Amino acid sequence: MRFFAAEIVGVAGLALVLRSADDAGLVVLAFGPPGNSLARDALRALGCAVGDAVRCIGRLRSGAQLAVDMLAVELGDRVPAEWAGTANLGLDKLTAERLKTERAVPLLVELGDAPAEPFASVRRRLGQVMLGGWSVLTPGVLAAVRSEAAELDAMMARHAGAVLRSVEALPAPARLAWFGRAWLASGPGAP
């Protein structure tokens, strides 16, 4: 969990963009927890309150940029009294009207090119194997795996590269162990 104070900047795609007050203006991307449309709608409503200072509670996501699954936000007297100043984004129906914002639609912001996530290739291959089984690793896919492993080696992530390369020669009994090593190599928050 991460507790932090921030200023609302706007929205970018599905993310509410915040500027952290705690970490020297670091940009934080806040997402609704997966499958929670109420939280996603609440984040869009918060995107209308540009410039407002808020206190947030979120679950950290892995990646190159600081990103959280936003769970709750403290808004003081801008929410109904029965909420005690805090909106639980998964339970409370937060709207721009309820926030009494001047904007009716969220401010859209451009983030530019986000830095690539270093272990995205390992995560992608894990996801492929989880969804489609080992048969998804066709000869063409294995050639791409070798290329991705070389990129990981160049980034000084040799263990992750070795885990990817090892998939090519795996006998069936060793596949579960490979999956476990790949999961650990991909870092926290694997798919």
Side-chain angles (χ1 to χ4, degrees):
M1 289 293 188
R2 181 167 169 86
F3 298 81
F4 62 99
E7 176 186 333
I8 298 172
V9 176
V11 296
L14 295 176
L16 176 67
V17 181
L18 303 164
R19 187 170 320 284
S20 173
D22 301 333
D23 300 310
L26 184 71
V27 172
V28 178
L29 301 179
F31 296 89
N36 191 326
S37 61
L38 194 60
R40 194 170 48 243
D41 294 344
L43 292 175
R44 301 245 356 129
L46 286 166
C48 297
V50 175
D52 281 11
V54 293
R55 296 214 31 91
C56 308
I57 302 171
R59 188 174 35 243
L60 285 173
R61 286 184 165 195
S62 62
Q65 287 187 307
L66 181 55
V68 296
D69 286 328
M70 187 75 86
L71 304 175
V73 61
E74 185 180 300
L75 296 160
D77 60 359
R78 300 210 47 196
V79 294
E82 61 268 16
W83 293 5
T86 302
N88 179 328
L89 300 187
L91 298 174
D92 300 326
K93 188 168 177 63
L94 189 62
T95 62
E97 296 80 27
R98 187 164 266 162
L99 286 171
K100 301 177 187 83
T101 60
E102 293 180 15
R103 301 181 63 86
V105 295
L107 176 66
L108 301 178
V109 295
E110 286 288 326
L111 294 177
D113 292 333
E117 189 175 345
F119 301 117
S121 58
V122 178
R123 287 192 180 93
R124 186 174 53 256
R125 297 307 173 196
L126 280 171
Q128 283 180 322
V129 171
M130 279 192 312
L131 293 173
W134 293 94
S135 62
V136 300
L137 299 173
T138 63
V141 170
L142 290 173
V145 166
R146 285 190 294 276
S147 172
E148 292 164 357
E151 288 174 19
L152 287 166
D153 288 345
M155 292 188 313
M156 306 282 282
R158 289 187 180 92
H159 177 71
V163 169
L164 267 184
R165 260 191 304 286
S166 69
V167 72
E168 199 163 358
L170 281 176
R175 290 178 178 168
L176 186 58
W178 173 86
F179 197 84
R181 281 193 311 276
W183 186 277
L184 291 172
S186 69

